[in-house]
Amino acid sequence: MTLLILIIFIVMLCLAVPIGLAVAGTSILPSLMSDSFTVSGVYILRSMLGGVNQTTLLAIPLFVFSGIIMARGSVSKKLFDVFAYFIGDYTAGIPCACVVTCLFFGAISGSAPATVAAVGSMTIPVMLEMGYPKKFAVALVAVAGGLGVIIPPSIPFILYAQTAGVSVSDMFIAGIVPGIFIAFILMGYSWLYCKINGENKKAIHKVVNELHQKSFLKVLADSVWALITPVIILGFIYTGVTSPTEAAAIAVFYSLVISLFVYKTLKIGELWGICVEAVRTYAPIMFVLASSVAFSRVLTLMHVPQALSTWIANDFTSLVIILLVINIILLFVGMVLDTTPAIILLTPILLPAAMVFGVDPIHFGIIMVVNLAIGFVTPPIGVNLFVASSLSGIPMMELARKAYTMIILFLVALLLITFIPAISLCLV
């Protein structure tokens, strides 16, 4: 029966059935196919409702809401200006400023697509004005946007922590070094690209000089409220003052205050549209999450995780091999599934197998999220590529071809993070 249900699930995905409906339908199938199955369809529906009735999960819509407010409030522009002020005149200074802006905005929004949309809509025109090739600028933003789910606070980290039963705060702390590490790799690539292909120094100096004419104190004063946003959010969490959910609520109020009253880049009348966008963004996530919780319970009742763990323990004897196999599975899944269902569906299956070989669950969570971050920039799903394509008008596959070198570097970083646990666990 397990194989039949898996086949039906795959067929539903191939027929483009929405992922939430496919997961929910597959969860109910065992009780319909066999009267002897442990639980009924009613229990499955109750599991779906109970699965999202968690205080921790409130952090997700709140971070989504605050991220949209920050994006509409042009916070990414404030961040970019201060980084361009300091490093804009150096080789690859502007692309590096773009990467660092993605890093900081990711620490505000917790979402990769939101990071691409907010940073890309502002930095891509600026980079084109400075003479950078359009495909390079757009591909860089699309790949660097993946930092939005690696650097805390990260929505996938919250989902993984909820599914794996680990601390959200520990996941956030563990994501700091890998996020910065990958950002440095992307900046290194940018430097090498600009060194080989050259830059329009005259155009770059013109833009940077306009920032310098404002004086350091003016640029810093204009950007300081945006710069301290991740410090406030993460500082409250790490010092134990608030839980991640409470910090997310603070992020919403803080983003409203600085956008409405400090920067005045947002009007009261725009809030209704922001609320609608936040609901439209989160509602599908919530339904997929509810369905995935039920599906994971059905898999447990069918002993799928136990069977997989037994198979891995019997057929694989090397930690290196099992980690490579898990990475390949996650990379493939990241290409065809969104982050939310991938985490909820695969964590109960792959985590027990990894723990058989002594893999720390926090470290495994970082491996999983970095894999899925790569999925954001790999077809056929490639959500970041879709967002960047809509911003620039460049076809998604052309962007994917331009981004392949950066994706390879991302994979190298993934391997280092996988086999050097200290990168993830040094701060935990």
Side-chain angles (χ1 to χ4, degrees):
M1 186 170 65
T2 302
L3 181 59
L4 178 60
I5 290 172
L6 179 61
I7 293 172
I8 293 173
F9 179 62
I10 294 172
V11 170
M12 291 173 76
L13 292 180
C14 293
L15 293 175
V17 175
I19 183 67
L21 292 177
V23 175
T26 308
S27 301
I28 296 174
L29 274 179
S31 61
L32 298 178
M33 293 171 61
S34 174
D35 294 333
S36 61
F37 190 64
T38 312
V39 297
S40 65
V42 175
Y43 171 83
I44 299 300
L45 294 175
R46 286 177 178 170
S47 297
M48 292 174 65
L49 294 175
V52 293
N53 187 22
Q54 305 284 340
T55 304
T56 306
L57 296 178
L58 283 174
I60 298 174
L62 291 172
F63 277 128
V64 168
F65 191 29
S66 65
I68 294 173
I69 294 170
M70 290 286 191
R72 294 281 191 91
S74 302
V75 171
S76 57
K77 173 93 169 54
K78 310 295 182 183
L79 292 171
F80 180 77
D81 284 349
V82 73
F83 299 133
Y85 180 93
F86 284 109
I87 62 176
D89 272 333
Y90 294 97
T91 301
I94 297 301
C96 287
C98 176
V99 173
V100 179
T101 304
C102 287
L103 188 72
F104 265 74
F105 196 84
I108 295 171
S109 70
S111 166
T115 301
V116 175
V119 178
S121 60
M122 184 277 302
T123 59
I124 291 172
V126 173
M127 291 178 72
L128 295 181
E129 180 186 342
M130 295 181 183
Y132 291 98
K134 187 175 183 180
K135 289 183 181 178
F136 165 74
V138 178
L140 179 65
V141 172
V143 177
L147 296 170
V149 297
I150 300 172
I151 202 74
S154 161
I155 292 172
F157 281 167
I158 299 171
L159 293 171
Y160 174 81
Q162 183 68 25
T163 308
V166 298
S167 166
V168 176
S169 298
D170 285 349
M171 286 302 304
F172 282 0
I173 294 172
I176 295 174
V177 174
I180 295 173
F181 176 57
I182 295 171
F184 272 110
I185 288 177
L186 293 177
M187 286 191 281
Y189 166 80
S190 300
W191 181 87
L192 189 61
Y193 179 91
C194 293
K195 201 74 175 173
I196 294 172
N197 296 281
E199 297 175 279
N200 187 341
K201 289 293 186 182
K202 185 176 180 181
I204 293 170
H205 183 71
K206 179 184 175 183
V207 174
V208 175
N209 192 49
E210 290 176 1
L211 291 173
H212 286 171
Q213 287 177 354
K214 293 181 181 179
S215 83
F216 165 70
L217 290 178
K218 184 171 177 51
V219 172
L220 183 62
D222 200 31
S223 307
V224 66
W225 298 105
L227 286 170
I228 65 174
T229 304
V231 177
I232 291 173
I233 297 171
L234 300 177
F236 281 150
I237 296 173
Y238 298 155
T239 56
V241 175
T242 67
S243 68
T245 302
E246 292 164 341
I250 292 171
V252 171
F253 283 103
Y254 181 81
S255 60
L256 281 171
V257 169
I258 67 169
S259 297
L260 287 171
F261 305 115
V262 179
Y263 293 138
K264 298 179 180 178
T265 49
L266 205 61
K267 294 181 171 36
I268 297 282
E270 297 178 74
L271 292 181
W272 175 252
I274 291 174
C275 291
V276 171
E277 184 179 348
V279 171
R280 286 178 175 171
T281 301
Y282 178 64
I285 296 176
M286 183 176 67
F287 184 70
V288 171
L289 181 60
S291 304
S292 301
V293 168
F295 190 51
S296 65
R297 292 183 183 178
V298 169
L299 290 177
T300 302
L301 291 170
M302 297 173 69
H303 306 291
V304 172
Q306 298 91 321
L308 183 63
S309 298
T310 301
W311 170 67
I312 289 174
N314 291 337
D315 289 20
F316 296 95
T317 56
S318 168
L319 175 62
V320 173
I321 298 299
I322 186 58
L323 286 175
L324 287 175
V325 169
I326 287 175
N327 274 316
I328 291 170
I329 292 171
L330 290 172
L331 285 171
F332 174 76
V333 170
M335 293 179 186
V336 297
L337 268 186
D338 191 27
T339 309
T340 300
I343 290 174
I344 303 298
L345 294 174
L346 292 181
T347 299
I349 296 175
L350 296 179
L351 179 58
M355 290 178 67
V356 168
F357 288 84
V359 178
D360 186 279
I362 299 292
H363 179 216
F364 182 82
I366 300 298
I367 294 172
M368 174 172 272
V369 173
V370 172
N371 267 288
L372 298 175
I374 295 173
F376 278 114
V377 286
T378 49
I381 301 298
V383 179
N384 281 14
L385 294 178
F386 275 113
V387 174
S389 177
S390 65
L391 289 174
S392 63
I394 300 175
M396 191 188 81
M397 292 309 298
E398 288 187 26
L399 282 180
R401 284 194 289 270
K402 185 63 180 178
Y404 81 92
T405 304
M406 287 179 274
I407 294 172
I408 291 173
L409 291 174
F410 222 128
L411 289 169
V412 172
L414 169 64
L415 288 175
L416 292 172
I417 290 168
T418 299
F419 293 108
I420 307 176
I423 296 176
S424 303
L425 302 177
C426 60
L427 298 180
V428 179

